[in-house]
Amino acid sequence: MTSTARKAPSLLALSAQAAIGAAAVADVFRAAAVRAHYLHPGDGPLHRSGFISMIFFYLMTLAIVLFLVWLARARGNAQELSPRASVPSRGWTIGAWFIPAVNFYAPRQLVLDIERASSASWEQKRGAALVNLWWAAWMMHVVVLVVGAVVAPGSMAVLVVGEALMIAAAVLLGLVIHRVMALQDAARGATLPVTPLAQA
């Protein structure tokens, strides 16, 4: 194991978690502002929804960048910690998120693979409940947004359900990041050599 694998990207992980949380909160305000503009068209609601949507766009972009940078670092650490484990390539770790249709299922699997390889006991079967819950919440959020915009635009029920799923997905993704970090820290502690005490 090299020194690269000994360094946990903790600051990067915390930054990604914070940005993801901020983007989720901003999305709640964005959705409420867009609904207000839909129900009460006018310059005031339009400017307000546009301003909040811009803030959300910047925060979401920051969250995506920080998360993908962290994920690439976590993938590299997992490969160092468990060389025989199956981990996605560097390009696939990033590219899978941007390929239409593929990004509905591949990101879940690559996060599971990185999580599995992050453990010192990577050969043992691990539960996938946390990653599955996060991915289900995110996919349901997307579905509710798309279907709601067509079937019931401006619906308060759609807004509440969609944003509740967004917040849930953000919290669960934060927990996924924390879990991978904890596994890598534990694996590093189990594999780092013990320095012998100097003889008197």
Side-chain angles (χ1 to χ4, degrees):
M1 181 181 63
T2 67
S3 59
T4 302
R6 296 172 188 168
K7 295 180 180 179
S10 55
L11 180 60
L12 184 57
L14 290 173
S15 299
Q17 288 170 318
I20 290 166
V25 172
D27 190 49
V28 174
F29 288 97
R30 178 205 60 79
V34 170
R35 178 178 182 271
H37 172 61
Y38 177 82
L39 296 177
H40 308 287
D43 290 342
L46 175 61
H47 292 155
R48 187 162 46 251
S49 65
F51 178 71
I52 296 175
S53 295
M54 181 180 65
I55 292 175
F56 165 73
F57 173 78
Y58 289 136
L59 287 173
M60 192 64 174
T61 300
L62 178 63
I64 291 170
V65 170
L66 288 174
F67 172 70
L68 291 180
V69 172
W70 170 81
L71 191 65
R73 284 281 303 279
R75 184 213 69 86
N77 280 354
Q79 191 171 47
E80 294 278 351
L81 291 165
S82 305
R84 292 184 296 157
S86 174
V87 295
S89 67
R90 187 176 305 170
W92 186 243
T93 298
I94 304 299
W97 298 84
F98 300 99
I99 302 175
V102 172
N103 56 12
F104 281 99
Y105 64 89
R108 168 193 165 274
Q109 187 58 52
L110 67 85
V111 170
L112 280 173
D113 290 342
I114 291 171
E115 180 193 35
R116 179 169 176 257
S118 296
S119 173
S121 55
W122 62 270
E123 292 134 320
Q124 298 178 7
K125 186 176 181 180
R126 302 186 59 83
L130 183 58
V131 173
N132 286 340
L133 283 172
W134 155 62
W135 194 245
W138 175 246
M139 287 291 98
M140 289 172 64
H141 166 72
V142 173
V143 170
V144 168
L145 282 186
V146 173
V147 174
V150 175
V151 177
S155 168
M156 176 59 79
V158 170
L159 185 149
V160 170
V161 172
E163 295 312 307
L165 288 167
M166 176 68 164
I167 295 294
V171 171
L172 290 165
L173 181 54
L175 293 175
V176 169
I177 293 172
H178 175 77
R179 181 172 179 176
V180 171
M181 295 294 297
L183 287 170
Q184 292 191 354
D185 286 341
R188 271 185 291 271
T191 56
L192 283 177
V194 178
T195 303
L197 295 174
Q199 295 182 351

